């Protein structure tokens, strides 16, 4: 066992094999292919949140033009998040049968198709059927990508977990910012919300084509199940990681949905609230970039998990209760904490497992349960606000949630592996 100060990935070459066939292409070519694979994984991450933020950016226009009833708006905003949990447990089985690369390729094809379908208007039926079907397809595809990406990173980049983990989690955060920032300008330029939503099929389609060569080269079969493989559902470590994921997801989804309304309720005008939210998202990206590199530098992640959980819960509460003159500071603390917390939770998939197979199953478990239960945070905040007339109760709630996340993050961050 090496000391805590050494780089985490240094002793994983024995348990995670990098695919470098001595009889295959030269080492330089192998490195080029691996670099290309890394770029593709990051680009996939860059398409995994535009579905959520692009629809929200033109929601009033879609609702008015398509005549959406209230129930349809609720379904269209919650179904993708729900499907993140529903389809997550299926990803490891699909990867084992068809190969992780080909499942990722298929998921990107479904995502592209769903994005193309969403704005379609059907004769005599209007926009609603295509919106529902396209949104559901996107949610299912994103769920598979969410689960499989950490396992592929674990398998192919065992000595670069911090770098690759930071890059793809930053890409996921950036995709939410891109969807929020560019959808309305496209709508304003074209005058059509359908064009604004169709726009996001373009980058997804480009990544689909770019990922085609490595997916086909990988072959149709997945890696065989390791002899004596562990059951993540029976592992205390896996459940601690999953609880940490649930609590961070509760805060993350609530911030996405409610930060701007919280600022507006505190007297901030719409334009300034948008700038504050944008600045918070930038800090999320910084946190998600650097947190995995710091977390994977050590075997023990208790300190970073605890700190970022308290930062997020505290930043959320201060955005509600703190002096209004320092809202930029409170939301900055929240953004930095949230981005770091999300990245730290996803990094645990890689550092608490010994191989890519176990990582894929842990990813399916923690994201299935995490997103399934974590999405309740948004609903809780809405219900508390409706019943009390303010966000004060939500501030207290997330002080509690942040504290619980710190407890489970501390336990999940101990130097132990799933199956120990």
């Amino acid at each position: 066992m090496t000391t805590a100060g050494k780089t985490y990935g240094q002793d994983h070459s024995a348990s995670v094999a990098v695919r470098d066939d001595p009889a295959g292409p030269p080492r330089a070519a192998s490195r080029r292919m691996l670099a290309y694979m890394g770029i593709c994984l990051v680009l996939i991450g860059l398409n995994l949140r535009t579905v959520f933020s692009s629809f929200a950016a033109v929601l009033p226009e879609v609702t008015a033009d398509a005549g959406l009833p209230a129930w349809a708006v609720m379904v269209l905003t919650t179904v993708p998040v729900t499907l993140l949990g529903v389809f997550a447990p299926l990803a490891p089985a699909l990867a084992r049968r068809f190969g992780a690369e080909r499942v990722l390729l298929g998921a990107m094809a479904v995502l592209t198709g769903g994005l193309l379908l969403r704005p379609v208007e059907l004769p005599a039926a209007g926009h609603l059927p295509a919106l529902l079907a396209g949104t559901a397809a996107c949610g299912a595809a994103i769920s598979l990508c969410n689960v499989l990406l950490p396992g592929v990173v674990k398998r192919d980049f065992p000595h670069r977990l911090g770098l690759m983990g930071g890059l793809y989690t930053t890409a996921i955060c950036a995709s939410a910012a891109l969807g929020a920032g560019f959808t309305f300008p496209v709508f304003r330029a074209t005058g059509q919300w359908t064009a604004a939503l169709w726009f996001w099929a373009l980058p997804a389609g480009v990544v689909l084509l770019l990922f085609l060569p490595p997916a086909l080269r990988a072959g149709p079969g997945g890696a065989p199940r390791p002899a004596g493989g562990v059951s993540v559902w029976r592992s205390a470590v896996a459940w601690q990681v999953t609880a940490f994921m649930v609590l961070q997801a509760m805060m993350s989804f609530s911030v996405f949905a409610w930060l701007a309304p919280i600022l507006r309720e505190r007297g901030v005008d719409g334009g300034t609230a948008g700038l504050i939210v944008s600045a918070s998202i930038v800090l999320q990206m910084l946190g998600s970039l650097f947190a995995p590199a710091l977390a994977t530098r050590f075997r023990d992640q208790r300190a970073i998990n605890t700190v970022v959980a308290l930062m997020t819960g505290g930043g959320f509460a201060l955005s509600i209760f703190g002096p209004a003159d320092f809202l930029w500071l409170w939301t900055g603390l929240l953004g930095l904490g949230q981005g770091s917390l999300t990245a730290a939770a996803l990094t645990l998939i890689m550092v608490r497992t010994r191989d890519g197979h176990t990582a894929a199953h842990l990813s399916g478990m923690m994201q299935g349960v995490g997103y399934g239960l974590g999405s309740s945070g948004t609903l809780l905040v809405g219900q508390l606000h409706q019943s009390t007339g303010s966000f004060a109760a939500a501030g207290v709630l997330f002080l509690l949630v942040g504290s619980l996340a710190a407890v489970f993050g501390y336990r999940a961050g101990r130097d132990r592996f799933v199956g120990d």
Side-chain angles (χ1 to χ4, degrees):
M1 301 288 283
T2 58
T3 61
K6 292 186 179 180
T7 302
Y8 185 87
Q10 287 177 346
D11 65 341
H12 280 249
S13 57
S15 60
V16 185
V18 180
R19 292 180 297 181
D20 189 2
D21 183 3
R27 182 173 298 273
S30 299
R31 288 177 177 174
R32 285 196 298 270
M33 288 189 291
L34 199 59
Y36 184 81
M37 181 70 169
I39 292 171
C40 287
L41 296 179
V42 171
L43 291 176
I44 289 173
L46 205 56
N47 284 272
L48 297 186
R49 294 296 180 269
T50 56
V51 171
F52 305 98
S53 53
S54 61
F55 184 74
V58 290
L59 180 57
E61 290 74 19
V62 177
T63 303
D65 184 63
L68 300 181
W71 68 265
V73 174
M74 182 179 68
V75 169
L76 289 168
T77 52
T78 58
V79 161
V81 178
T82 303
L83 291 179
L84 295 184
V86 170
F87 281 86
L90 301 179
L94 290 173
R96 190 166 58 250
R97 180 170 182 177
F98 301 106
E101 291 87 350
R102 294 205 170 189
V103 177
L104 283 172
L105 181 69
M108 288 305 299
V110 172
L111 178 60
T112 304
L115 291 168
L116 288 171
L117 177 62
R118 276 200 306 174
V120 171
E121 183 177 11
L122 300 177
H127 286 284
L128 183 56
L131 277 170
L132 291 171
T135 300
C138 291
I142 292 168
S143 176
L144 297 178
C145 293
N146 279 343
V147 173
L148 295 180
L149 278 176
V152 175
V153 170
K154 171 76 174 180
R155 183 199 65 196
D156 289 350
F157 302 91
H159 299 294
R160 295 291 184 269
L161 293 183
L163 174 62
M164 283 301 302
L167 288 176
Y168 91 80
T169 53
T170 300
I172 291 174
C173 289
S175 70
L178 290 172
F182 286 95
T183 302
F184 196 81
V186 174
F187 164 72
R188 191 155 46 191
T190 62
Q192 298 181 347
W193 64 265
T194 53
L197 294 186
W198 265 320
F199 173 80
W200 296 106
L202 177 61
V206 170
V207 175
L208 173 64
L209 294 177
L210 290 174
F211 193 60
L212 192 59
L216 295 180
R217 187 170 57 244
R225 180 190 294 269
V230 300
S231 171
V232 295
W233 296 95
R234 298 178 182 178
S235 167
V237 175
W239 279 109
Q240 290 159 8
V241 172
T242 299
F244 187 50
M245 182 69 176
V246 169
L247 295 163
Q248 80 82 20
M250 287 183 70
M251 291 189 282
S252 293
F253 285 124
S254 297
V255 170
F256 289 148
W258 294 108
L259 181 56
I262 287 170
L263 296 174
R264 297 297 297 273
E265 187 173 279
R266 299 210 62 184
V268 178
D269 65 90
T272 303
L275 289 175
I276 293 175
V277 171
S278 297
S280 182
I281 290 175
V282 170
L283 288 173
Q284 285 180 37
M285 293 167 60
L286 289 175
S288 64
L289 178 61
F290 292 109
L294 181 61
T296 55
R297 187 170 183 79
F298 303 100
R299 286 183 169 275
D300 188 310
Q301 292 78 38
R302 287 178 293 182
I304 186 172
N305 290 351
T306 302
V307 169
V308 297
L310 294 176
M311 282 175 62
T312 306
F316 197 108
L318 286 168
S319 297
I320 298 172
F321 299 123
D325 290 342
F326 298 99
L327 277 174
W328 284 91
L329 177 61
W330 310 142
T331 55
L333 178 70
L334 173 60
L336 187 60
Q338 182 186 339
S340 302
L341 179 62
T342 302
L346 293 175
T347 301
L348 287 177
I349 299 171
M350 297 177 281
V351 300
R352 293 279 79 86
T353 55
R354 297 187 185 277
D355 54 71
H357 170 82
T358 307
H361 280 268
L362 177 60
S363 182
M365 173 186 176
M366 69 177 287
Q367 295 194 62
V369 177
Y371 287 126
L373 297 181
S375 59
S376 65
T378 302
L379 180 61
L380 282 173
V381 174
Q383 290 179 329
L384 288 171
H385 184 265
Q386 185 175 8
S387 61
T388 64
S390 76
F391 286 105
V396 175
L397 170 67
F398 282 99
L399 279 175
L400 175 61
V401 172
S403 298
L404 287 173
V407 171
F408 282 100
Y410 182 89
R411 294 184 63 81
R414 293 176 296 172
D415 180 19
R416 297 170 60 193
F417 292 95
V418 172
D420 285 357

